[in-house]
Amino acid sequence: MSLRSFDLETSSTANPIDIVEDVVSADYEHEVARVGDDQLVLNCRGQWTSYEMHCYWQPGQQALHTSCLIEMKIQQGSLQHIYELLSDINSQLWFGHFEIDREGDLLSFRHTSLLRGVGTLTNGQIQDIIDISIGECDRFFPAFQMVLWGGLTPDKAMQAALLETVGEA
């Protein structure tokens, strides 16, 4: 099977969702659902839980937007602590950001790749977007749990999330 690479400058019909679908089908064991011409939904198994990743192509902006949803019930009384934790986490990230939706009940990791002038979208770029998104969700999932269910302060939860273990038990 040959995976596609699109020339976004010369093709008015190029749609990176096609290449995302090809890469995921070839390189991952994620469930894939094509929701429409410009949208793909992946069910990705992480270290702690499964994540639902949405990939959207916005042709007018030539932008590929990804949003990795973390299913986690956030109590209204915990919102202030979660916002503090989000601020701490986002200041550590080089790629993407975490956010809570306006209603305060949907946590996600989001990133948008601007592709105008790039010319192609490579398989490696798609793999990086998927791997980094799932990796960051896995990295900080315990911190969110510690604040929501463990009663830790955002500072303590952040310290625990950034603690690197060495060796094996």
Side-chain angles (χ1 to χ4, degrees), residues 7-133:
D7 183 343
L8 298 176
E9 291 289 75
T10 60
S11 174
S12 61
T13 60
N15 186 341
I17 293 298
D18 295 330
I19 194 170
V20 174
E21 188 172 30
D22 286 347
V23 168
V24 171
S25 297
D27 297 342
Y28 295 92
E29 295 179 10
H30 305 316
E31 294 176 29
V32 181
R34 187 74 179 250
V35 179
D37 288 341
D38 296 334
Q39 184 178 1
L40 191 69
V41 179
L42 316 174
N43 186 351
C44 307
R45 181 74 190 137
Q47 180 180 1
W48 307 106
T49 189
S50 291
Y51 307 108
E52 187 176 287
M53 181 180 286
H54 293 254
C55 301
Y56 305 95
W57 170 238
Q58 299 168 340
Q61 293 79 28
Q62 291 191 338
L64 180 67
H65 174 79
T66 55
S67 181
C68 195
L69 308 178
I70 303 172
E71 190 173 325
M72 189 174 291
K73 187 159 179 68
I74 300 172
Q75 305 293 337
Q76 286 296 322
S78 302
L79 270 177
Q80 183 59 38
H81 291 297
I82 292 298
Y83 285 134
E84 287 178 40
L85 181 59
L86 283 175
S87 178
D88 291 344
I89 289 171
N90 285 336
S91 70
Q92 300 292 314
L93 299 177
W94 284 63
F95 178 94
H97 67 278
F98 283 95
E99 70 176 28
I100 297 176
D101 71 338
R102 190 173 215 124
E103 288 76 35
D105 58 1
L106 187 61
L107 178 63
S108 63
F109 179 81
R110 297 171 43 129
H111 175 73
T112 301
S113 300
L114 300 175
L115 303 175
R116 184 186 344 255
V118 174
T120 61
L121 182 65
T122 68
N123 298 352
Q125 288 170 315
I126 293 299
Q127 291 166 337
D128 288 346
I129 290 169
I130 293 169
D131 294 344
I132 291 169
S133 296

